[in-house]
Every structure is written in structure tokens, then in C-alpha cells.
Amino acid sequence: MGRGGEAHASGSPPEWDVIVVGAGVAGASLAYALGNEGRNVLLLERDLSEPVRIVGELLQPGGYLKLKELGLDHCVDDIDAQKVYGYAMYKDGGEALVGYPLEGRGDDVAGRSFHNGRFVMRLREAALGCEKVTVRQSTVKKLLNVNGQEWVDGEGVPIGGVAATENETEKKEYFAPLTVVCDGYFSSFRKKLTPAAAPVSPSTFVGIIIDGDPNELLPRPGHGHVVLGDPSPVLFYPISSKEVRCLVDIPAHVKMPSVASGAMAQYVLAKIVPQVPEKLRDPLVKAVEGGAFKSMMNKTMPAQPSRTPGAVLLGDAFNMRHPLTGGGMTVAFSDVVTMKSMLSPLPSFADAAAVGERVDAFYAHRTRPALTINTLANALYKVFCSSADSSMEEMRRACFEYLRLGGSMSAGPIALLGGLETNPLTLVAHFFSVALFGVGRLMVPLPTPARIWKGVNLLKGAVKIIVPIVSGEGLIRMFVPSKYREKARII
């Protein structure tokens, strides 16, 4: 697969400029990007067969623009990807239709939804087609230091490569001045490289496929559908010209129904079906009765940048947000574009100090899109979940009605959600505009003491949602311009 060559022993000049661990969305696109710049890239992946996942199926238009910037926009071709132009949201029988602000961006610019595995395979094909990239099916077992021994944090010896197993038993060692770990959601090396990282699971997605033409099944063809249900959101979106994905969110505080016993099917039929738009009820019932459920635990994890000479984390191994808004791949491609840009000035990666400086610059410049998307995803999930607190339920209603107003009220938030607007101040402004809009609704027709008190609680609730999320992502990283943080070497 790709260019041949044997691993070099420790102490001899490395054959590779960079080793990329993991050939998922982030790893495959990074290998392609660096290989196209003339870097010798070794891309290692545990399993090169087509992955099967129920997330990573929606690429926001901002993510498509980053994909295009990398020269990988052809990867959404020939996989029956569907264009997505916005969202239809439903609550208590009402509908809010919001479209991405795509005017002047070109006819090809839109969201894309697809089978995740097909898209990943196209990215891998692109990497395989790059002369400077070698792809191998190999399980990385250890990080090695520059002396060829297992790397141990705190010893002060830089990472110099990896130890891997091929064909189940054949042991290999590979060396490069830079190792980028992109081993995803279940990362084996996250704790070693960023000990402070602490993934949290707010919910689990349970997915099922509804067979049929999305243009006939969905109330609003060409849109993602979000039902603000009880206890949490339900999503519908096309993943091919013949299939619609349904994702039912099960919050962490709700006992997970058993699929094997039939409890999950009963939960969806009794609890979820009555809440979805009428047009989707019969198709969903049919899918539940004849289909197979797949589940995936959702995780959130703010990035915790750490200076590790010789290595850097990327993708879900580094940073995760709730998948409700479909922002993960947009962050991944944005990070790849930023990393490529930061490393481009270096003639080689042999100078560890120079590489470390450019990695610091990557940490500084990645934050604006990444932290905005992360904060929006995690905050929206909290707002969109039902609550026994009447003030928080009013916040959910206010968000829905705010989007129904149209104009800048919907264009601003949907631009943030689509990765087209990445200013965190815009996000915070819209978040509190929704809260104040909710307070204003409570004051009509008369601002009684009970209504005023509920309004105060709504504002307090909004603060309790947004402040911990922003603090977790990092106040300085979020609001101090990247040029100042880069100059001060603040990561």
C-alpha cells in the first residue's frame, strides 16, 4: 500500500518525516495534506476495512469549505452523499425552518450527509494515491523515545517513533521526528500525552435506518430534522438517496433500555414515535419493527494542549464535543488545515525546537473555530433537553421561537452551527439574546412577581449552562486573539 520501505533502527536517520497514527477523518486527511507538501508520511491504521459508525455522518458547510481547501472535496463524490441546506426544528407541533447563509459561496457549498464509512474510505483512497504517503494496516502498541525505548512521560526524552504489530504477530518499529496521534474516540494514547484529559459522557445515541427516498420521507427534503422531544432531541437526516438516519438521544440520567429484550424498541414506539412529525411516524415504526439498532456513547472533552516533544494529538483523541450539531468533522478538517499551515514554513521536522514552536502556533490558531463549535454543541444540547425546571423549559421554548423569527435571529445561529461563523463573541451574544428574548416573553402580558422571578431563574440557568462550558474550553484560549497567544507561547 503506497510507497514501500522498511523501518529504520533507532539511531539511524529516520525514513519518515512524520508518522500519523490512525487513518480516520483527521489522520487520513492530514497524511494527504502533508504528503502533498512533499513530506514522507507513514500512515498506520489498525483496521483498513470500511468502518461502521452512526456518527460522523453530517459534514457542515464550513467543514466542506475546509475539505475543499485541502483539495479533498472530491471525497464526497461517488458515495451517494446528500446535500443539506439547513435544519427543520420541531417542538409541540410547531416548526422552525432555518437555512444556512450560503449566498455567494458557490453552488457546491452546502452541508453533506453520507455513510461515514464510505467517506472515510474515500479519504484513505486519497492518501493512498499520494506518492509520499505509505499506508499500512498496523496496530500501534507503544510510543518510543528517540533512543528506541518505550517513551515515559516525565523522563525528558522526546518521542521518536512507535512500536507496532502487523499481521497480528510481526513486530515493527518506525521512527520519525514527529508523530501525530489521531487514534480517535477510543484513543489508546490520550492519557499518556494529555493526562489532564477527562472525557465525559452526557448521553448515548441510538441509531436506526429508515429505508426510502429522503425526499419522500422527510417533511423538509434537503434539511436535517431536529425534534425537541422529551427527554432529549431526536434527529433525522438523509445518509443516501435511499436511506434516512434516525438518532434517538438517551441522556445519561435515563436508564438505557435493552435492545436484546425488546425494551429499546418499546421505548422508541411508546415514547419517541408520538413526538416526531406525523409524516415520519409510520416509517419510523416500520424501521423499529424490522431494523437493527446501533448505539454509540457520546463524549465531550475540552482540548487540553500539552507540550510533548516529538508528538501531538489531533481529532477526537484530542478534543470532542456533543455530536448533536454535527460539528466534529468541521473541527477536524479545520485543525488539519491549521496544522498544515503552521508546519509548512519548516524545511524539515528535524529541528525539534522549531517544530515545538510551530505546534504551539497550531494550538494558538486552532481555537477560534474549534472552541466556538464545541461550545455551541455542548450548550445547545443542554438547552434542547427537556427539564423539570420550568425556567429551563422556557429557555428551550425561547430558543425555538427565536429561530422561528428568521432574519438575523436565525441566520446568526445557523451560521455558527454550520461552521460558517467562528467568532466566539457572536456565539455568546446570540446565546444571551435567546435568554433575554425568553425573559421578554415571560413579561407578556404583565410582568407579575412570579414571571419576573422565573425570568431571573432563566438568566441564572443560562449562565450556569454557558459559563462552565466556556471555562472548560479556556477563557484565554477562547477570547484572547491568537496572534497574542502565539507571541506569548500560550497554549
Side-chain angles (χ1 to χ4, degrees), residues 343-354:
L343 294 176
S344 285
L346 300 178
S348 79
F349 298 153
D351 185 339

Side-chain angles (χ1 to χ4, degrees), residues 384-400:
F384 282 0
C385 286
S386 64
S387 174
D389 183 335
S390 61
S391 299
M392 286 298 90
E393 194 57 33
E394 185 60 36
M395 178 75 173
R396 184 160 79 143
R397 166 62 69 180
C399 185
F400 179 74

Side-chain angles (χ1 to χ4, degrees), residues 78-93:
D78 303 321
I79 59 172
D80 202 14
Q82 304 297 295
K83 286 188 175 181
V84 177
Y85 296 98
Y87 283 86
M89 300 177 63
Y90 299 89
K91 178 171 171 52
D92 300 331

Side-chain angles (χ1 to χ4, degrees), residues 137-431:
Q137 184 162 294
S138 182
T139 302
V140 175
K141 298 291 189 180
K142 298 176 183 178
L143 298 172
L144 301 178
N145 64 29
V146 292
N147 300 320
Q149 300 166 334
E150 182 174 3
W151 177 79
V152 178
D153 188 22
E155 289 187 348
V157 183
I159 290 173
V162 300
T165 301
E166 296 179 12
N167 303 318
E168 296 187 359
T169 58
E170 189 179 356
K171 295 182 179 180
K172 295 278 191 177
E173 292 184 351
Y174 300 105
F175 295 89
L178 179 61
T179 298
V180 184
V181 177
C182 311
D183 60 342
Y185 175 96
F186 296 106
S187 176
S188 300
F189 302 105
R190 180 188 294 130
K191 271 296 181 184
K192 290 180 179 291
L193 295 173
T194 55
V200 173
S201 177
S203 69
T204 297
F205 267 158
V206 176
I208 193 165
I209 290 176
I210 303 174
D211 292 321
D213 183 348
N215 293 321
E216 296 177 1
L217 289 171
L218 294 172
R220 295 290 185 173
H223 290 71
H225 293 60
V226 183
V227 180
L228 303 187
D230 176 24
S232 54
V234 181
L235 310 181
F236 296 88
Y237 52 89
I239 55 173
S240 75
S241 60
K242 299 177 181 178
E243 297 161 303
V244 169
R245 170 73 74 192
C246 171
L247 290 177
V248 176
D249 184 83
I250 311 288
H253 68 269
V254 174
K255 184 180 179 181
M256 186 77 172
S258 167
V259 173
S261 70
M264 180 61 73
Q266 184 58 35
Y267 176 85
V268 176
L269 292 172
K271 181 80 173 175
I272 303 303
V273 169
Q275 300 184 68
V276 307
E278 188 173 352
K279 189 175 183 180
L280 284 162
R281 290 176 189 172
D282 286 344
L284 180 56
V285 169
K286 185 178 178 181
V288 170
E289 291 176 343
F293 292 101
K294 292 187 180 297
S295 64
M296 185 167 184
M297 189 177 288
N298 299 320
K299 292 188 179 182
T300 66
M301 184 185 72
Q304 299 290 342
S306 176
R307 290 189 178 96
T308 308
V312 62
L313 280 169
L314 201 67
D316 282 352
F318 178 51
N319 183 204
M320 294 182 283
R321 75 292 311 147
H322 198 284
L324 170 69
T325 59
M329 289 190 292
T330 300
V331 172
F333 290 130
S334 177
D335 279 355
V336 169
V337 167
T338 303
M339 178 164 282
K340 173 183 175 246
S341 174
M342 295 301 105
L343 294 176
S344 285
L346 300 178
S348 79
F349 298 153
D351 185 339
V355 170
E357 185 178 326
R358 300 318 297 157
V359 169
D360 279 3
F362 160 72
Y363 288 139
H365 287 274
R366 75 171 292 271
T367 53
R368 181 162 166 153
L371 272 61
T372 299
I373 291 170
N374 294 347
T375 302
L376 176 68
N378 297 334
L380 268 187
Y381 178 71
K382 289 181 178 292
V383 171
F384 282 0
C385 286
S386 64
S387 174
D389 183 335
S390 61
S391 299
M392 286 298 90
E393 194 57 33
E394 185 60 36
M395 178 75 173
R396 184 160 79 143
R397 166 62 69 180
C399 185
F400 179 74
E401 296 296 340
Y402 185 85
L403 292 172
R404 291 182 80 177
L405 293 173
S408 62
M409 305 300 187
S410 65
I414 199 69
L416 288 161
L417 190 150
L420 300 167
E421 168 60 65
T422 59
N423 189 334
L425 292 176
T426 302
L427 167 61
V428 172
H430 275 289
F431 186 83

